[in-house]
Amino acid sequence: MREKIVAANWKMNKDLTEGLQLVSDLVESLKGKKIACEVIIAPPFIHLSGAAERLKETDIVLAAQNIAKEENGAFTGEVSAQMIASTGAKCVIIGHSERRAYYGENGAVLHEKLLRAISEGLRPIFCVGEQLNEREAGKHFDVVSNQLTEAFNAIGADKIAQMIIAYEPVWAIGTGKTASPEIAEEMHAHIRSFLKERYGESVAKKMPILYGGSCNGSNAVSLFSQPNIDGGLIGGASLAVEKFMPIIEAWDQVHK
Ligand code: PEP
């Protein structure tokens, strides 16, 4: 049985008070509930230590949304993997399409970030996904294979096995245009066979592959029911507990 995961990517939303309130609301909503998946939240950096405090004695896992590729030193404005780990965060999102598009993060940069995260014991949630024009040109499988190839580079199977992958078609992020379960499943199966070919069957079988892109309480059950979809990376719908909880609870209705 692979891990089932619902992960929240708050992006650049919520001031400190609002963010910590959202963490507390989530903790309260999950209290005493038996849920069928792991829950990860990735707030902005400023919330990490306060969130870690509120998440003590819960099973909710804390993640950062980004890390510096450098270890430490004169890199004004950057936050290192070691700093993130020191807050109590256990995971980090790497390769989100917004980082690729707006901050020029290419395969080589993402490779360094993956190595840095792994060396500090942070579990990467590595994002891949094609643009609309790439899908329309029929290049989506190649685009995603190339993203994986470039960023994973020479990282060994033992380290790849510690990661989480998120497939997030860029055309579905924040647009309300969710990929159909069939389209998402087709890409998840492609990613799993890529992993099998490069890193062997056990890495491929074990890897949680999350779907991201306008996932919400209405479409989560049909997406999560697909054989190769192991959960979701959720942006907009993770910013309010009443929208996020139905996605977590979707797993109660999935039988596979
Ligand atoms: C994301 O950016 O990771 C994401 C999936 O966003 P949304 O759910 O808002 O499409």
Side-chain angles (χ1 to χ4, degrees):
M1 271 279 277
R2 272 193 296 277
E3 289 170 275
K4 307 299 178 211
I5 298 171
V6 172
N9 173 15
W10 293 5
K11 313 194 189 194
M12 196 172 71
N13 291 295
K14 307 286 179 192
D15 68 20
L16 188 57
T17 310
E18 293 165 346
L20 294 181
Q21 186 60 52
L22 178 52
V23 177
S24 298
D25 291 348
L26 185 62
V27 169
E28 204 50 44
S29 301
L30 288 171
K31 201 176 267 172
K33 275 210 176 107
K34 208 172 162 303
I35 53 167
C37 65
E38 293 164 46
V39 177
I40 300 175
I41 60 168
F45 289 132
I46 63 148
H47 300 90
L48 287 177
S49 62
E53 197 58 41
R54 282 170 169 71
L55 295 180
K56 273 186 190 154
E57 324 289 330
T58 77
D59 293 327
I60 302 170
V61 173
L62 189 60
Q65 296 175 19
N66 183 28
I67 51 166
K69 64 180 171 28
E70 296 82 9
E71 188 174 5
N72 56 40
F75 299 101
T76 302
E78 290 293 279
V79 179
S80 75
Q82 194 265 331
M83 291 172 189
I84 292 165
S86 75
T87 67
K90 303 283 182 228
C91 299
V92 58
I93 298 173
I94 294 179
H96 192 281
S97 64
E98 288 151 16
R99 301 289 321 167
R100 293 176 190 264
Y102 309 143
Y103 302 96
E105 296 192 0
N106 59 24
V109 168
L110 298 175
H111 176 65
E112 287 187 65
K113 290 191 173 200
L114 286 174
L115 291 178
R116 193 63 68 197
I118 293 163
S119 76
E120 283 302 330
L122 290 171
R123 185 179 193 190
I125 302 171
F126 182 65
C127 303
V128 292
E130 80 286 355
Q131 317 257 0
L132 184 58
N133 62 331
E134 293 166 331
R135 174 163 284 272
E136 284 172 349
K139 294 182 182 154
H140 43 294
F141 294 123
D142 288 345
V143 167
V144 167
S145 297
N146 289 340
Q147 289 171 339
L148 292 167
T149 302
E150 285 177 10
F152 287 2
N153 196 342
I155 300 175
D158 57 327
K159 296 200 165 63
I160 298 293
Q162 298 165 26
M163 298 189 194
I164 297 167
I165 292 176
Y167 168 57
E168 301 204 305
V170 180
W171 46 271
I173 296 180
T175 59
K177 289 186 196 143
T178 322
S180 69
E182 295 73 25
I183 283 182
E185 168 59 20
E186 190 183 38
M187 183 61 84
H188 283 231
H190 170 76
I191 294 169
R192 210 173 294 290
S193 66
F194 172 98
L195 294 170
K196 184 176 170 191
E197 204 177 287
R198 303 276 173 110
Y199 304 103
E201 179 137 32
S202 82
V203 172
K205 267 194 172 161
K206 218 179 120 256
M207 180 70 73
I209 307 177
L210 313 184
Y211 168 79
S214 301
C215 182
N216 58 42
S218 310
N219 56 35
V221 174
S222 58
L223 285 160
F224 298 171
S225 298
Q226 298 299 313
N228 286 291
I229 299 184
D230 306 309
L233 179 55
I234 318 299
S238 71
L239 294 172
V241 162
E242 61 279 14
K243 290 190 176 158
F244 193 46
M245 281 302 292
I247 305 176
I248 296 171
E249 287 164 347
W251 275 114
D252 298 335
Q253 297 168 57
V254 176
H255 306 287
K256 63 178 184 187

